[in-house]
Amino acid sequence: MSARSPLDDERDHLAASRAALRAMRADAEALDIRDVTANWVNAEVLASEIGLRIKSLADLAGTPLFFGRLDYSEALDEDGEAGHRFYIGRRHVHDADGDPMVIDWRAPVSQPFYRASKQDPQGVELRRRFGYEGGELTAYEDERLSDPAEEAKTSALLQREIERPRVGPMRDIVATIQPEQDEIVRSPLSGTVCVQGAPGTGKTAVGLHRVAYLLYSHRERLARSGTLVIGPNRSFLRYIEQVLPALGELEVKQATVDELVAHVEVRGVDGAAAAGIKGDARMAEVLRRAVRSGVRMPTEGLVVVRGSRHWRVPVYELEEIVRELAGRDMRYGSAREALPQRIAHAVLVRMEAAGEAPDDRVQNAVARTPAVKAVVKECWPLVDPAKLVLRLLSDGDFLAEHAEGILTPEEQKEILWERPARSVKSARWSAADAVLIDEARDLVERTGSLGHVVLDEAQDLSPMQYRAVGRRCSTGSATILGDIAQGTTPWATESWAAALAHLGKTDAVVEELTQGFRVPREVIAYASRLLPAIAPELSEATSVREAAGSLEVRLAAPGGLDAAVVAACREALEREGSIGLIAADARVPALAGALAEAGLTHLAPGQETSADARLTLVPASLAKGLEYDYVVLDDPAAVVDGEPDERTGLRRLYVALTRAVSGLTVVHAAPLPDLLATAAAA
Ligand SMILES: Nc1ncnc2c1ncn2[C@@H]1O[C@H](COP(=O)(O)OP(=O)(O)OP(=O)(O)O)[C@@H](O)[C@H]1O
């Protein structure tokens, strides 16, 4: 009989942990709630909570229950009960006695798995990483952190994870989070973190893991206040949507900025100039003035009749009340609600002076009298945010009155609709208009704040969009992720300080990630030739990938661009993994036709790749945040020309060039943009 290997022991622990998880799930399923719930509503709530717990206890086939082990040199508690060996996994698993078999990666004891080093072992003697095939344990790798003689080496398991083919949606990185990433993941809930990172440095991954970490550490608080992940578009959200559920977090909302502010139906499109002005932070002041413009001073005194008595409040006193409220830092709507009570109070003071003893009920009754209501209507009229914005964009005089000294006459003209809209319903609202309405709504009534918001691809937001996001975490915190070099909107931010100011998070810490996990060295170097033109202050990312990757630039024969692109796709399909054909948006229909003609089926971004459907045709405008094992890039010059100005075009090209995990083939008919071509020749 052969001797048992350490791997056999680990497999036994895995089998035992799986059995323990099944038992935990069976316990949850067997919970009888009939006796503990007094009423139907409670029963429903409890049943749904138990349902979620059962779901979260599922042993996901194919994902390992634990991926690491820590042996501390000493037991972590005084009586030695807690032991000194911990298996680190996606969720907590305990045996029938309640003793831990697997510790959640987010627990404090797990932290050294990510951060301990030879220089700072953090009490850890041995760190073991496990390798898996499917759900089966196949390998392990040890580091003896307290042994100075052992050489530090890079983890082969980490390399394998980074270099695995990428078919399917984004996966979690919980087994291989790097120390500098972990610091961001575990930064406290109270603070906002802003991460600048080159393509593929793991910003999205880090943001999602931070949400999972925060939910673990502050479960109750965040369950009450809510968490939200904001991404650039639906296809991106579909690409990332399975990461949090895989980490056991099923209740995080995901949305685009457009969806957050969807108060009206968006059917119109602004030109770049109009969108830029509408997205400018100066619009906040224009709106503030416009909302407040309805406030009027009363024209006559008030008479309230109660029984046989007439109570009079002179006009100057009403004026004082209105002026005092207008001077307060209150939402328009709250002030409007306070006004009748203030007026009623003035009446009550008179009643008391006359020897009456009115109570709160009398004050409420006075506040509701037609006379008081009439004053409120005259002095503090209701504001409908959408109607207000409609008027600003339709009525030049109204706009001029409130934009005076803020927007130039040319700017005012630029945002005025050519044909004034008749109604909120019929107006051709643009995405930027919806953000203005959201701002106006917040001036009338405070927008509720969530506990934590993750904003991905943050560089692309306009100042007004930042404000819309900022008010959704005004009393909470945020994780802001982005890359200035990938800003492709005309209003993309030039500095994180400016973005954070618009978000209302000036105390945020800005961190930088520079290790790239996606793009091969040669490819990132090629793309980085564009940096001097698109973000001169940023330095090139490194690549931690060891596999060389491939980069090829092909000039198509005259008239043969489509054929050359199809040929490149065919070649890529001979290899393992996903393929993205990225092209200028305008080229997409032609390429879709060429692929179909060649008998190559293709997907659209957001549709899940599978072993049988691996080729996605990606319009350059949707490439951001996505990745493919092989990228075929159609005509870079067309990608650049598809944007209103050259810098934006080059940034769009930079995004497209940095989607490849293993190989990039650039196929061009038109000459390459100078920066790519010149450096290539050098
Ligand atoms: N620590 C890690 N271990 C393994 N893989 C990682 C790690 N960090 C990031 N990755 C992988 O690198 C790839 C890029 O990560 P991600 O998409 O989060 O980068 P990004 O910075 O958001 O990129 P972009 O700027 O293009 O949006 C993903 O496949 C991710 O899973």
Side-chain angles (χ1 to χ4, degrees):
M1 219 175 81
S2 64
R4 279 177 66 79
S5 71
L7 205 52
D8 292 328
D9 292 337
E10 302 295 22
R11 285 186 180 128
D12 286 352
H13 188 76
L14 178 62
S17 306
R18 285 223 167 99
L21 182 67
R22 278 196 298 276
M24 284 165 70
R25 191 176 152 105
D27 281 350
E29 282 168 341
L31 272 183
D32 187 349
I33 56 171
R34 274 168 308 184
D35 293 343
V36 290
T37 48
N39 64 48
W40 179 81
V41 176
N42 284 352
E44 285 293 298
V45 171
L46 196 58
S48 108
E49 274 176 17
I50 291 173
L52 280 180
R53 170 140 175 91
I54 292 169
K55 250 195 194 160
S56 76
L57 287 173
D59 186 1
L60 301 171
T63 40
L65 206 46
F66 55 79
F67 45 79
R69 190 182 108 185
L70 286 181
D71 291 1
Y72 282 88
S73 33
E74 283 171 30
L76 289 187
D77 57 350
E78 274 166 17
D79 55 14
E81 281 252 319
H84 56 84
R85 173 171 299 173
F86 300 94
Y87 286 84
I88 318 295
R90 279 180 174 67
R91 65 212 58 190
H92 187 82
V93 179
H94 57 74
D95 65 14
D97 299 328
D99 290 329
M101 303 198 64
V102 179
I103 302 275
D104 195 298
W105 63 279
R106 298 167 286 189
V109 267
S110 307
Q111 182 174 320
F113 183 74
Y114 301 103
R115 297 240 202 126
S117 62
K118 288 239 155 190
Q119 295 72 34
D120 177 21
Q122 306 187 2
V124 174
E125 195 167 86
L126 174 96
R127 171 164 55 205
R128 178 167 284 182
R129 298 177 196 277
F130 295 107
Y132 285 82
E133 290 296 335
E136 293 310 313
L137 225 174
T138 52
Y140 70 90
E141 200 175 68
D142 283 351
E143 280 170 283
R144 295 191 179 278
L145 296 179
S146 49
D147 177 2
E150 192 191 76
E151 246 179 83
K153 53 183 182 296
T154 49
S155 159
L157 290 172
L158 168 64
Q159 277 306 324
R160 210 163 76 191
E161 175 57 22
I162 295 169
E163 268 150 47
R164 73 180 160 76
R166 295 301 212 269
V167 174
M170 188 173 189
R171 294 210 313 216
D172 69 71
I173 58 162
V174 71
T176 54
I177 297 173
Q178 294 303 290
E180 67 277 14
Q181 296 178 323
D182 191 64
E183 282 194 27
I184 299 169
V185 169
R186 285 178 209 256
S187 56
L189 175 62
S190 55
T192 289
V193 187
C194 171
V195 185
Q196 157 64 41
T201 49
K203 297 181 294 295
T204 302
V206 163
L208 295 173
H209 287 72
R210 180 161 190 231
V211 178
Y213 172 76
L214 293 175
L215 281 166
Y216 173 87
S217 313
H218 306 275
R219 173 91 46 211
E220 274 186 20
R221 187 158 151 206
L222 288 178
R224 253 181 288 121
S225 53
T227 46
L228 170 70
V229 174
I230 304 176
N233 54 57
R234 266 285 137 197
S235 49
F236 173 84
L237 292 178
R238 272 197 295 275
Y239 169 63
I240 65 162
E241 76 188 351
Q242 292 182 26
V243 175
L244 282 164
L247 297 174
E249 298 304 343
L250 304 163
E251 293 202 272
V252 181
K253 287 192 281 294
Q254 304 193 340
T256 61
V257 175
D258 290 349
E259 287 167 355
L260 288 183
V261 300
H263 312 297
V264 288
E265 198 190 331
V266 171
R267 290 182 291 130
V269 184
D270 284 312
I277 301 163
K278 289 176 179 179
D280 192 294
R282 290 175 297 162
M283 285 306 293
E285 180 57 16
V286 176
L287 287 164
R288 201 191 63 82
R289 283 195 199 166
V291 165
R292 293 267 159 171
S293 68
V295 177
R296 300 256 176 282
M297 283 304 154
T299 47
E300 55 191 46
L302 166 81
V303 183
V304 173
V305 184
R306 277 184 65 82
S308 60
R309 311 243 6 204
H310 285 53
W311 303 98
R312 285 171 214 285
V313 182
V315 67
Y316 71 85
E317 198 172 326
L318 291 179
E319 263 179 34
E320 220 165 86
I321 293 172
V322 171
R323 197 169 298 119
E324 198 267 333
L325 269 180
R328 278 178 172 250
D329 183 20
M330 268 173 112
R331 292 297 195 273
Y332 183 89
S334 317
R336 188 173 195 276
E337 272 166 32
L339 182 57
Q341 288 292 339
R342 301 278 170 103
I343 299 172
H345 180 75
V347 174
L348 252 67
V349 170
R350 286 184 166 66
M351 291 176 170
E352 280 163 0
E356 294 196 6
D359 58 13
D360 286 356
R361 275 172 306 174
V362 177
Q363 179 162 337
N364 288 337
V366 173
R368 283 197 297 269
T369 54
V372 173
K373 282 188 183 164
V375 177
V376 174
K377 197 169 166 199
E378 181 197 353
C379 301
W380 215 284
L382 266 182
V383 169
D384 177 318
K387 281 192 187 150
L388 181 96
V389 175
L390 179 120
R391 191 167 166 209
L392 274 175
L393 300 178
S394 302
D395 175 346
D397 293 338
F398 187 66
L399 177 64
E401 188 184 336
H402 304 298
E404 161 90 57
I406 301 176
L407 301 181
T408 64
E410 294 73 38
E411 287 174 318
Q412 295 174 26
K413 199 160 160 249
E414 189 65 59
I415 62 171
L416 270 176
W417 286 328
E418 265 173 36
R419 255 178 298 144
R422 290 248 178 78
S423 70
V424 169
K425 258 210 141 111
S426 66
R428 291 184 64 78
W429 298 107
S430 69
D433 297 337
V435 181
L436 295 177
I437 296 173
D438 191 68
E439 178 88 25
R441 277 172 72 103
D442 185 69
L443 288 162
V444 175
E445 194 179 337
R446 188 184 298 280
T447 310
S449 169
L450 296 153
H452 193 80
V453 169
V454 173
L455 174 61
D456 204 351
E457 304 294 355
Q459 71 282 347
D460 280 329
L461 271 58
S462 71
M464 290 301 281
Q465 286 177 318
Y466 284 128
R467 292 173 60 89
V469 172
R471 56 184 159 260
R472 285 168 172 81
C473 52
S474 56
T475 59
S477 57
T479 305
I480 310 297
L481 312 161
D483 180 8
I484 301 275
Q486 294 184 64
T488 49
T489 52
W491 45 81
T493 194
E494 290 306 320
S495 85
W496 291 117
L500 291 166
H502 295 309
L503 281 158
K505 300 287 180 200
T506 42
D507 54 353
V509 212
V510 182
E511 306 276 358
E512 191 171 2
L513 290 176
T514 53
Q515 274 198 68
F517 295 87
R518 175 195 300 136
V519 192
R521 214 161 281 147
E522 211 185 333
V523 176
I524 194 81
Y526 184 65
S528 298
R529 291 176 186 178
L530 300 176
L531 280 178
I534 60 176
E537 66 289 354
L538 294 182
S539 43
E540 189 177 313
T542 59
S543 173
V544 299
R545 300 177 62 81
E546 281 174 1
S550 60
L551 169 69
E552 225 189 298
V553 182
R554 296 182 188 168
L555 176 63
L561 181 60
D562 291 3
V565 167
V566 169
C569 290
R570 239 191 246 290
E571 280 167 39
L573 278 165
E574 279 162 21
R575 310 198 227 190
E576 204 185 351
S578 60
I579 294 119
L581 165 56
I582 307 181
D585 292 24
R587 285 273 296 147
V588 167
L591 288 172
L595 289 174
E597 211 166 287
L600 297 182
T601 43
H602 66 270
L603 306 165
Q607 284 181 301
E608 204 170 301
T609 50
S610 66
D612 310 321
R614 296 186 289 130
L615 172 63
T616 306
L617 174 54
V618 192
S621 64
L622 288 183
K624 206 168 279 183
L626 307 180
E627 66 185 17
Y628 301 91
D629 283 299
Y630 290 91
V631 168
V632 177
L633 176 60
D634 172 75
D635 221 18
V639 173
V640 178
D641 291 345
E643 301 296 332
D645 62 90
E646 193 186 22
R647 194 189 62 175
T648 307
L650 291 174
R651 285 178 164 189
R652 181 75 72 198
L653 178 58
Y654 181 70
V655 172
L657 287 168
T658 52
R659 300 303 103 199
V661 174
S662 298
L664 169 68
T665 305
V666 177
V667 187
H668 67 108
L672 291 172
D674 284 348
L675 280 170
L676 287 186
T678 1

